[in-house]
Amino acid sequence: ANKLTGYNAAIAEYQNGNLAAAKKSIEGDQSAKADYLRAVIAAKEGNVSAAKAALQSAVAKDASLAKKAAKDVNLAALR
């Protein structure tokens, strides 16, 4: 099997509950989807201010993510 890297590795780590490894996998990634994942991770960690900041950054890069966030159960703490 291929070793996952970057965003894909972060998703896998997140799904396995390894938030620290997920964050490390997207450290250098400044894409909207990486910012969105950072928001989800921060929300799961209970860091609402970091989650809001990451989500704002994601939406600034890709406005369509605002609609996704409004329905995302992982971001319920931000509503």
Side-chain angles (χ1 to χ4, degrees), residues 10-22 41 44-45:
I11 292 291
E13 293 292 2
Y14 174 79
Q15 289 175 334
N16 288 328
N18 192 343
L19 302 183
I41 292 168
K44 190 165 186 98
E45 292 174 329

Side-chain angles (χ1 to χ4, degrees), residues 1-5 12:
N2 289 339
K3 179 103 171 85
L4 295 175
T5 59

Side-chain angles (χ1 to χ4, degrees), residues 17-75:
N18 192 343
L19 302 183
K23 284 194 284 192
K24 191 167 175 53
S25 293
I26 52 170
E27 264 177 358
D29 189 339
Q30 296 305 311
S31 68
K33 66 184 184 178
D35 284 344
Y36 190 93
L37 182 54
R38 275 189 273 277
V40 169
I41 292 168
K44 190 165 186 98
E45 292 174 329
N47 189 340
V48 174
S49 61
K52 283 183 179 176
L55 183 57
Q56 265 184 327
S57 180
V59 170
K61 294 171 186 172
D62 181 352
S64 72
L65 292 176
K67 236 178 211 173
K68 180 178 177 182
K71 299 178 199 152
D72 193 332
V73 67
N74 297 301
L75 297 174

